[in-house]
Amino acid sequence: MAWAESRPGGCPAFGAAAGRCLMPIAKSKSELLHDMEAEYRLLKCSLDGIGADRFDSPGVCHEWSVKDVVAHLVEWKRMFLGWYAEGLQGGNPPTPAADLKWNQLPALNDRIYRKWKAVPSEVVLAEFEAAYAMMLELARALPEEKLFQKGLYPWMRVWPLARWIAANTSSHYRWAGIRIRRWGKLAA
């Protein structure tokens, strides 16, 4: 496996400069699925260790709580699945958003934070499980050739689907898990 910086690095609310996580880039479908499942299990263990009374406490990522971090993961998966669906229909969706470029991720992540801020933790967790299941189903259903074909759809630019999927699952889960575990140790 080659090493690459995961996206988003550091605290997405405040840009990549806040820290980076390294994540291996899967070279096969089996590696992709393994990474997705392994990082999901690690994140779930971290989430299971957080009491319900602390789930909304700020500080995981500046003012973000555990719930806010999980909501961030959900929204990024939703965006990816929307891009993918539009690509299947021959579309070329603007990524990451119609009004924002990739160098404006802090603004997009702040928008996501505000969108989900009032959503109850139980709903966020249910959406997280549903989004993970959809991503896993997609990765399992796609043939390896499609997963690793660069530029399969115009919106993907130079990344293969596997890299987009990893960025929105295993890499993102690793980033979240590290932040949550660090916060849990500091808050204990």
Side-chain angles (χ1 to χ4, degrees):
M1 288 187 216
W3 288 92
E5 290 178 353
S6 65
R7 191 179 275 276
C11 186
F14 300 95
R20 299 193 184 276
C21 309
L22 292 180
M23 184 73 202
I25 298 171
K27 297 291 185 195
S28 68
K29 181 176 178 173
S30 63
E31 282 183 12
L32 175 67
L33 292 169
H34 174 269
D35 292 348
M36 289 172 70
E37 293 167 344
E39 293 297 336
Y40 169 80
R41 283 191 304 273
L42 285 171
L43 178 56
K44 283 291 288 178
C45 285
S46 298
L47 294 175
D48 291 345
I50 304 296
D53 59 321
R54 295 179 52 218
F55 213 71
D56 291 320
S57 299
V60 175
C61 188
H62 297 276
E63 80 265 23
W64 288 16
S65 67
V66 172
K67 182 201 83 167
D68 300 326
V69 169
V70 174
H72 171 86
L73 301 176
V74 171
E75 189 64 23
W76 272 96
K77 279 175 206 43
R78 285 180 168 190
M79 290 187 305
F80 166 78
L81 291 166
W83 302 331
Y84 178 72
E86 191 171 331
L88 286 176
Q89 301 301 314
N92 187 11
T95 59
D99 61 333
L100 296 171
K101 306 261 185 251
W102 285 106
N103 64 354
Q104 298 171 303
L105 286 183
L108 177 57
N109 290 325
D110 185 59
R111 187 182 297 169
I112 292 168
Y113 170 76
R114 286 183 277 113
K115 175 181 177 179
W116 286 84
K117 188 65 185 156
V119 177
S121 297
E122 304 78 35
V123 173
V124 171
L125 286 171
E127 291 293 326
F128 173 71
E129 294 299 330
Y132 170 70
M134 286 187 276
M135 295 293 286
L136 191 58
E137 181 182 339
L138 176 63
R140 285 179 176 158
L142 289 168
E144 190 155 7
E145 312 78 63
K146 265 195 171 176
L147 281 169
F148 290 93
Q149 181 181 339
K150 291 183 179 182
L152 182 63
Y153 303 107
W155 64 269
M156 293 171 36
R157 313 296 184 271
V158 297
W159 276 15
L161 268 173
R163 185 113 183 243
W164 284 91
I165 291 170
N168 286 285
T169 57
S170 55
S171 293
H172 229 171
Y173 296 161
R174 179 175 282 194
W175 166 83
I178 288 169
R179 297 298 289 197
I180 290 167
R181 286 187 296 276
R182 270 191 208 145
W183 170 81
K185 287 177 186 173
L186 292 174

